[in-house]
Amino acid sequence: MKTPIECRALTQWSNNAPVINNVSCSSETQMTFVYRRALLMVPGEEHDLAVESQQHSIDDSDFSAESSAILYNMALTHHLMGLATNRSDVLERALKFYEISNNIRQNKDDKDLDILDLAIANNVGQAQHEFCNYGTARECFDLLTRRLQLFNTYGMICLLAQCDCEGFVLNAMLEQPTMAAAA
C-alpha cells in the first residue's frame, strides 16, 4: 500500500462546501458529521511535499481516479441536498454514487491509502445512520476507525483538518440509539 506522498498529483481537496439553508452538517439536530470537501481537478505538475501528500495519484492511461472523484463529488452534492431538503430519494441517490465511486477504487490494483477512503466510509455511514440503518452505519464507522488507525500509523493524520478529524472520530464512536420499552 503506497502512501500519497509517493504519488504525483492531479486532484486536491476543496474547502468545506457551504452550508445550505442554514442546515449545518454537524449540529444539534443532526448528530453525525458529514465530510463536506469536494475533489478538485488541477494541472498535473509536481508540487512540494506538503501539497503533494494531500493529493491523489492518477495514472495517465487509466481514468479510474478521475471517475471515482467525479462520482464522489456527485455523491457529496446529492448527500448535502438530501439533508438540506430532507428528501430520502436524493440521499439514496447519494449512496448509489458513493458505492460506485468506492467500487471503482476497489477494482484498481493500486490500493493507495488516502482521505477519499475516509470520506466515503464516513459519509456512507452518516447517510445510513440517517436512514436508521444502524448496523450498516456501524460497519462503515468501523471501517472508518480502521482507516484512521492506518492514517495515524503512517503519520498521515496531520493531513486532516482538526475539525474534520474530530468529526470522523465522533462518528467512529457513535453508538446505536437505544429505544425505551413501551410502558
Side-chain angles (χ1 to χ4, degrees), residues 29-102:
T29 58
Q30 187 173 329
M31 301 306 293
T32 54
F33 166 77
V34 176
Y35 190 74
R36 298 181 293 129
R37 295 182 192 276
L39 281 170
L40 303 174
M41 301 293 179
V42 296
E45 299 176 10
E46 291 299 314
H47 301 280
D48 66 25
L49 185 62
V51 172
E52 188 169 335
S53 67
Q54 298 178 37
Q55 302 179 348
H56 307 271
S57 70
I58 297 177
D59 185 347
D60 289 335
S61 63
D62 180 9
F63 294 104
S64 62
E66 291 99 331
S67 300
S68 181
I70 290 166
L71 285 160
Y72 166 79
N73 287 346
M74 290 172 61
L76 180 61
T77 300
H78 283 83
H79 194 153
L80 295 175
M81 285 187 335
L83 292 175
T85 61
N86 201 27
R87 290 190 47 199
S88 62
D89 61 320
V90 178
L91 201 52
E92 286 172 0
R93 202 169 310 130
L95 284 172
K96 288 178 185 167
F97 286 134
Y98 284 131
E99 179 182 359
I100 296 167
S101 176
N102 194 49

Side-chain angles (χ1 to χ4, degrees), residues 16 45 74 78 106 108 111 115 118 131 141 171 177 182:
N16 274 329
E45 299 176 10
M74 290 172 61
H78 283 83
Q106 297 307 315
K108 231 182 140 183
K111 300 290 190 239
I115 296 173
L118 300 175
F131 283 124
F141 293 147
N171 278 358

Side-chain angles (χ1 to χ4, degrees), residues 94-130:
L95 284 172
K96 288 178 185 167
F97 286 134
Y98 284 131
E99 179 182 359
I100 296 167
S101 176
N102 194 49
N103 287 342
I104 290 170
R105 293 173 54 70
Q106 297 307 315
N107 289 334
K108 231 182 140 183
D109 292 333
D110 188 16
K111 300 290 190 239
D112 290 339
L113 175 64
D114 60 27
I115 296 173
L116 188 54
D117 292 325
L118 300 175
I120 291 173
N122 180 79
N123 289 0
V124 169
Q126 191 283 331
Q128 292 292 350
H129 193 273
E130 283 291 311

